[in-house]
């Protein structure tokens, strides 16, 4: 399974855009890139997933360069409620084949200040 | 159905006792996962069910751990002869058989926090 590397922690202020970059140098051809968010005493929550280029949903954008060896989660105009741990994961091919379980790293602790 | 539920939310036990946790996945999700999370770390995979079949087990799942999903709906995770090192958050997640967009989207429960004294 591809290993991911992301910053241990980041600080930001309300209203700013936050970009969290994840390195995954040995990502496989059929691996997807997925980000999860986790608040204290809760289970992780899916944020966004992509394979290449750019993906955007109502809460975040995911930028993936052509070589796919890294990805950047972008959170626009963060608020205090975005304070959480963010995990970057790779793997899990579509369909019913392949390993289904998720492999989490240590994540990035984002602290949003007022 | 509002999501994955887990019971109990907290469990304190003495070393050597047995404990059992329950997970109720989202209805019609036939995939169910157990993870363990210690402070400051991301969740670690323990085991995976598709319907009632246990298809994958992690090396973390020692002989003292057993999981079941007898009717392909709820699941139980039992830890026998608990040790202090078993203290952690035990998370359950579920996912549907086929996901149209997100192959890695799993829906997590709130977890059961186990403290072994």
């Amino acid at each position: 399974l591809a290993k991911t590397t992301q910053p241990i922690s980041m600080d930001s202020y309300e209203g700013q855009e936050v970009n969290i970059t994840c390195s995954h140098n040995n990502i496989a051809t059929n691996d997807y890139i997925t980000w999860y968010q986790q608040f204290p005493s809760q289970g992780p929550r899916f944020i966004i997933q992509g394979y290449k280029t750019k993906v955007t949903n109502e809460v975040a954008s995911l930028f993936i360069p052509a070589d796919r060896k890294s990805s950047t989660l972008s959170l626009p105009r963060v608020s205090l409620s975005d304070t959480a741990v963010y995990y970057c994961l790779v793997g899990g091919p579509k369909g019913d084949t392949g390993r289904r379980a998720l492999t989490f790293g240590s994540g990035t602790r984002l602290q949003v200040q007022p | 159905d509002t999501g994955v539920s887990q019971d109990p939310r907290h469990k304190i036990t003495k070393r050597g006792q047995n404990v059992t946790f329950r997970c109720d996945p989202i209805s019609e999700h036939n995939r169910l996962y157990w993870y363990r999370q210690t402070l400051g770390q991301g969740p670690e995979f323990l085991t995976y069910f598709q319907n009632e079949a246990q298809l994958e087990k992690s090396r973390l799942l020692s002989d003292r751990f057993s999981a079941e999903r007898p009717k392909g709906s709820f699941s139980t995770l039992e830890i026998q002869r608990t040790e202090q090192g078993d203290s952690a958050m035990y998370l359950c997640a579920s996912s549907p058989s086929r996901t149209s967009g997100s192959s890695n989207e799993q829906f997590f429960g709130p977890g059961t926090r186990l403290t072994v004294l």
Side-chain angles (χ1 to χ4, degrees), chain B residues 6-103:
Chain B
Q6 292 186 245
D7 183 69
R9 294 293 307 277
H10 303 274
K11 178 69 177 179
I12 300 174
T13 190
K14 293 182 179 179
R15 188 177 54 186
Q17 298 295 307
N18 299 343
V19 294
T20 300
F21 309 141
R22 176 178 170 125
C23 170
D24 286 89
I26 294 172
S27 297
E28 299 175 357
H29 279 191
N30 64 353
R31 290 179 170 148
L32 187 146
Y33 312 78
W34 285 98
Y35 295 83
R36 181 175 70 184
Q37 184 173 28
T38 54
L39 195 62
Q41 301 298 315
E44 297 173 293
F45 167 72
L46 291 178
T47 190
Y48 155 58
F49 289 86
Q50 180 153 329
N51 299 313
E52 65 276 8
Q54 188 174 21
L55 298 185
E56 187 174 357
K57 291 193 295 185
S58 164
R59 291 173 297 175
L60 293 174
L61 212 66
S62 74
D63 292 343
R64 298 184 297 105
F65 288 69
S66 62
E68 295 183 342
R69 195 183 182 197
K71 298 181 179 180
S73 56
F74 73 91
S75 175
T76 58
L77 177 68
E78 181 182 16
I79 308 175
Q80 296 182 328
R81 305 180 302 282
T82 53
E83 301 173 356
Q84 289 184 325
D86 297 331
S87 295
M89 175 77 83
Y90 290 84
L91 293 162
C92 176
S94 69
S95 68
S97 171
R98 283 195 177 273
T99 51
S100 59
S102 305
S103 67

Side-chain angles (χ1 to χ4, degrees), chain A residues 6-114:
Chain A
Q6 48 183 127
I8 295 174
S9 64
M10 294 183 69
D11 293 308
S12 182
Y13 292 95
E14 282 191 292
Q16 289 188 332
E17 177 184 79
V18 171
N19 295 309
I20 306 174
T21 297
C22 177
S23 298
H24 28 80
N25 290 321
N26 58 342
I27 188 171
T29 301
N30 58 351
D31 281 344
Y32 279 71
I33 299 157
T34 312
W35 286 80
Y36 277 77
Q37 174 192 55
Q38 186 176 25
F39 298 112
S41 299
Q42 295 186 24
R45 183 175 71 103
F46 173 91
I47 302 176
I48 196 167
Q49 179 178 270
Y51 184 80
K52 61 180 179 181
T53 63
K54 177 184 175 181
V55 179
T56 298
N57 62 21
E58 62 276 8
V59 297
S61 294
L62 179 59
F63 299 91
I64 305 169
D67 66 7
R68 304 196 332 118
K69 293 184 183 298
S70 66
S71 59
T72 299
L73 173 72
S74 181
L75 303 172
R77 297 179 301 281
V78 294
S79 64
L80 295 176
S81 63
D82 292 317
T83 294
V85 178
Y86 293 83
Y87 295 97
C88 165
L89 297 84
V90 295
K94 276 191 173 180
D96 289 333
T97 60
R99 188 170 191 263
R100 306 306 308 180
L102 301 176
T103 301
F104 290 83
S106 298
T108 297
R109 296 182 179 279
L110 173 65
Q111 180 69 50
V112 180
Q113 307 280 1

